[in-house]
Amino acid sequence: MNFIQTIMILAIISIWIATGLGLMILFSATHFWLTTIKKERQKVFRLATYPKITIVVPAHNEEVVIAQTIESIMNLNYPKTQLELLLYADNCQDDTYNQIISVVSLEKYQHISAQVIQRTGTGGKAGVLNDALSIATGEWICVYDADAMPEKNALHFLVEKALENPEKYGAVFGRNKTRNYKQNFLTRCINLEIVNTQRIHHVGLWHLFKIGRIPGTNFIIKTDFVKHIGGWDNGALTEDTAISFKIMQSGKLIALAHNSEAFQQEPETVSAYYHQRKRWAKGNYQVILDNFKHLFDRSVWRIKWEVFYYISTFFWFNAAIVISDIIFVANIVTWGISMFNPSTHILYTIGSNNIELANLLMINWFLMVGIYLLQINIALASQFGQLTVKNLSVALISYVTYAQLFIVVSVVSVVSLLLDHILHRDGTKWYKTKRFGD
């Protein structure tokens, strides 16, 4: 075999390994839901204690959505005497500050401790969180993004989970739903991605390995603990991923409260989606590079797994999928040509006397589609109201459209990150995700 054929075979084997890991997590999540759904509680029981919670909301030019979010937070099912709200209008050039004031100043919310802060500092969202950390008086800090409307019991369930093992759990995170998923085909695809990620990947990893990852919103973290680990990384594109690694490195767990939910707004245009996901991808890649050394030191096994998982997913397996897609398309084209010109040979084969590589690629492609649809179906079935014919149709179409767009974003992000390092560019420039009125 020549070099090109070796690369192709490695690509196929890599995707099979990725499929195996995906199935392992899928089986874990399926077991969780089969044993949990029947025991799902409809009632919210009183907690043994209600620790004081400082809720932080960083908002940068969020006038379109901030009022609804603050209203939802004000109406959380948690003792109001145990809440402290720190609401930041961070370097805003719009009406965000006044929108926050309009809600906080309502008579019905005067019994809730709330500070509205006009901030002009640096560091982006991480900078806001560090500012809040320095003045927070709560035992736990809770973070909600400006577009994330928590369900009324969201905080209750986060605290409930934290109290199960307060010494071991450094942070607790919930799930997020797409509040505008019916807007268009793109938002429906994003909804499927989020449902799959949170109902399968997050649940499967927690159930099997007790591994959790802080999302950008709907989570709590111990105030003293986050001070101990140095707070958030100012300017980080994905401050949530960065602090997740710091928590795991400390030996603490990031627990999943699967019944805590918030409703967030997702991009409604391809341009907004592209810029948001590019920022996320670049941020995750940088965190991976920063933590790569932990594969070879004496770090806890969970952080080694996370580094390996991220490297495999974002670098190794993505590269394998790109190679596989190129070969698959090339072979389909040559197959079509050979129907009219029998002398045309399939471009990529192992050898004239062996099974054609094209056949292996076809099997590989259908295997990936099958696993993808299986994950989506189980994820949809585990969430009320999501298992519909329309969602199943979108899932099938999204594999050859939306999923491939993500690969493009990933490749562009890798190139952009490399150029940032080579050309010494400032790669921390924040792209503000465009919001839309509900």
Side-chain angles (χ1 to χ4, degrees), residues 153-172:
N153 294 314
L155 180 58
H156 177 97
F157 289 132
L158 290 173
V159 174
E160 182 181 53
K161 187 66 180 182
L163 294 178
E164 287 183 6
N165 195 343
E167 295 303 316
K168 192 63 175 176
Y169 295 165
V172 180

Side-chain angles (χ1 to χ4, degrees), residues 1-20 312 315-328 348 350 357 360-365 367-368:
M1 291 187 294
N2 59 36
F3 176 75
I4 297 298
Q5 290 171 335
T6 301
I7 292 296
M8 290 188 291
I9 293 174
L10 287 176
I12 292 175
I13 294 173
S14 298
I15 293 172
W16 285 346
I17 293 173
T19 300
S312 300
F315 290 102
W316 180 15
F317 296 148
N318 272 355
I321 290 172
V322 169
I323 293 172
S324 176
D325 283 350
I326 292 173
I327 296 171
F328 175 77
Y348 303 107
I350 298 176
L357 183 56
L360 291 177
L361 287 167
M362 286 294 290
I363 295 172
N364 184 69
W365 190 79
L367 178 65
M368 288 191 297

Side-chain angles (χ1 to χ4, degrees), residues 26 59 90 113 132 175 189 194 208 213 218 231 254 276 284 307 330 378 395 430:
L26 176 62
D90 180 35
S113 173
R175 297 186 297 107
C189 288
I194 290 176
L208 189 61
R213 301 164 181 166
N218 194 27
I254 305 170
Q276 181 196 66
N284 285 332
V307 172
I378 293 177
W430 188 276

Side-chain angles (χ1 to χ4, degrees), residues 233 241-242 244-246 249 284-297 299 303-304 307-308 311:
D233 295 341
T241 305
S244 293
F245 274 88
K246 292 171 74 172
Q249 182 65 12
N284 285 332
Y285 293 155
Q286 186 60 58
V287 171
I288 294 168
L289 294 176
D290 292 342
N291 288 275
F292 183 76
K293 60 182 181 291
H294 294 310
L295 276 178
F296 310 101
D297 60 21
S299 298
I303 200 167
K304 292 180 183 292
V307 172
F308 171 76
I311 289 174

Side-chain angles (χ1 to χ4, degrees), residues 88-121:
Y88 285 85
D90 180 35
N91 294 283
C92 294
Q93 289 83 46
D94 65 355
D95 201 38
T96 297
Y97 178 80
N98 290 327
Q99 287 292 319
I100 298 175
I101 291 293
S102 69
V103 177
V104 172
S105 60
L106 293 175
E107 180 66 29
K108 60 181 177 179
Y109 298 135
Q110 292 309 297
H111 61 296
I112 302 175
S113 173
Q115 294 185 53
V116 185
I117 303 165
Q118 283 188 301
R119 181 178 184 271
T120 57

Side-chain angles (χ1 to χ4, degrees), residues 143 145 162 174 192 418:
V143 179
D145 283 346
L192 292 179
L418 289 174

